């Protein structure tokens, strides 16, 4: 719960952010009935920032793109995020979150990729203190990205291995199992406990189980 003063400050930040967004569109477009909404939300999912700002721009129905190059301006709604609380957002942050269809917008696929890369590399740098641990982490994450693609871009449950996709063919399921074991082998080969690697006993190679029973 926010106090009265905190609610007042939040409303002021919201109006400021909405103004930043409206400044990237023409007066004629705004007169068409475009509505800009801003909301601060909390996120408890792993990897989320504690507070982020969601910006939604609602366009009136149109037979053409009201903003050339932005398909959503024809279909009705465009949504973007700024991964920080409203109080910290500057106009530059807004421009980084908007595509070039908006005046001054700088968000492109390249900028998104660079941001994701920088976040991932910063996490590795913070968590790993030696060159060897950074090498293991980088190799493990590389394999995980391969599994992410094989799993149709669905992330696994927190701290769990990627599930086998039963809708795939047997061949693909086996391939996914190999990927899961391969990522674990990277860690196990470096002395990491199998449970820590996120592999259950049922994921072990049957041959290994047979040898263990002999």
């Amino acid at each position: 719960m926010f106090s009265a003063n905190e609610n007042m400050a939040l409303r002021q930040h919201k109006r400021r952010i909405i103004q930043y967004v409206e400044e990237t569109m023409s007066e004629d477009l705004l007169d068409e009935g475009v509505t800009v909404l801003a909301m601060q939300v909390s996120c408890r999912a792993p990897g989320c920032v504690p507070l982020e700002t969601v910006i939604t721009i609602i366009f009136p129905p149109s037979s053409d793109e009201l903003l050339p190059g932005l398909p959503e301006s024809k279909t009705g709604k465009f949504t973007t995020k700024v991964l920080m609380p409203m109080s910290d957002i500057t106009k530059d942050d807004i421009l980084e979150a908007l595509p070039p269809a908006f005046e001054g917008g700088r968000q492109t696929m390249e900028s998104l990729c660079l941001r994701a890369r920088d976040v991932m590399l910063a996490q590795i740098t913070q968590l790993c203190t030696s060159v060897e641990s950074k090498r293991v982490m980088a190799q493990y994450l590389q394999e995980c990205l391969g599994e992410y693609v094989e799993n149709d871009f669905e992330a696994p449950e927190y701290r769990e291995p990627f599930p086998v996709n039963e809708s795939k063919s047997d061949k693909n399921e086996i391939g996914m199992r190999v990927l899961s074991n391969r990522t674990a082998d990277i860690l196990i080969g470096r002395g990491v406990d199998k449970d820590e690697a996120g592999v259950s006993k049922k994921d072990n190679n049957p041959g290994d189980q047979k040898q263990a029973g002999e």
Side-chain angles (χ1 to χ4, degrees):
M1 295 293 292
F2 293 106
S3 67
N5 288 338
E6 289 173 328
N7 280 327
M8 184 181 299
L10 198 62
R11 287 196 298 270
Q12 291 173 346
H13 292 312
K14 183 180 295 188
R15 286 194 291 268
R16 176 174 55 83
I17 290 167
I18 289 173
Q19 180 181 347
Y20 288 158
V21 176
E22 289 180 342
E23 288 173 355
T24 67
M25 295 179 282
S26 68
E27 290 292 336
D28 290 340
L29 181 56
L30 294 174
D31 289 342
E32 290 281 344
V34 174
T35 301
V36 180
L37 305 174
M39 179 182 298
Q40 180 172 281
V41 298
S42 61
C43 179
R44 298 182 181 275
C48 277
V49 295
L51 291 173
E52 60 187 30
T53 301
V54 179
I55 299 169
T56 301
I57 304 166
I58 302 174
F59 296 91
S62 175
S63 57
D64 300 309
E65 293 179 356
L66 295 176
L67 268 181
L70 186 74
E72 292 89 343
S73 67
K74 177 181 177 181
T75 57
K77 184 172 69 173
F78 172 79
T79 300
T80 188
K81 288 184 179 181
V82 181
L83 302 181
M84 59 180 68
M86 286 184 172
S87 59
D88 295 345
I89 291 177
T90 66
K91 186 166 184 178
D92 268 348
D93 296 321
I94 295 298
L95 296 179
E96 290 289 345
L98 295 174
F102 295 88
E103 184 177 350
R106 300 194 285 262
Q107 186 189 80
T108 61
M109 194 64 231
E110 181 182 8
S111 70
L112 289 174
C113 289
L114 289 173
R115 181 185 301 179
R117 180 205 66 182
D118 292 344
V119 169
M120 181 176 65
L121 295 181
Q123 287 288 309
I124 293 175
T125 301
Q126 292 176 17
L127 294 172
C128 302
T129 57
S130 68
V131 172
E132 178 61 17
S133 62
K134 291 174 183 176
R135 181 181 295 109
V136 173
M137 179 70 76
Q139 186 178 3
Y140 176 74
L141 291 175
Q142 186 177 20
E143 295 293 342
C144 283
L145 287 174
E147 291 189 75
Y148 181 60
V149 174
E150 290 290 332
N151 202 46
D152 292 333
F153 307 100
E154 290 188 14
E157 295 294 328
Y158 184 52
R159 291 186 178 275
E160 293 293 330
F162 280 92
V164 173
N165 190 335
E166 295 181 358
S167 65
K168 298 285 187 180
S169 66
D170 290 342
K171 180 179 179 180
N172 285 341
E173 288 180 1
I174 293 171
M176 291 182 69
R177 178 66 66 193
V178 169
L179 279 171
S180 294
N181 285 333
R182 197 165 67 202
T183 54
D185 287 343
I186 292 171
L187 300 183
I188 295 166
R190 301 292 182 175
V192 178
D193 183 80
K194 185 162 290 191
D195 290 335
E196 294 180 21
V199 177
S200 61
K201 292 180 180 180
K202 66 180 180 180
D203 289 333
N204 298 341
N205 189 306
D208 293 340
Q209 295 179 0
K210 181 178 179 181
Q211 292 175 4
E214 290 178 351

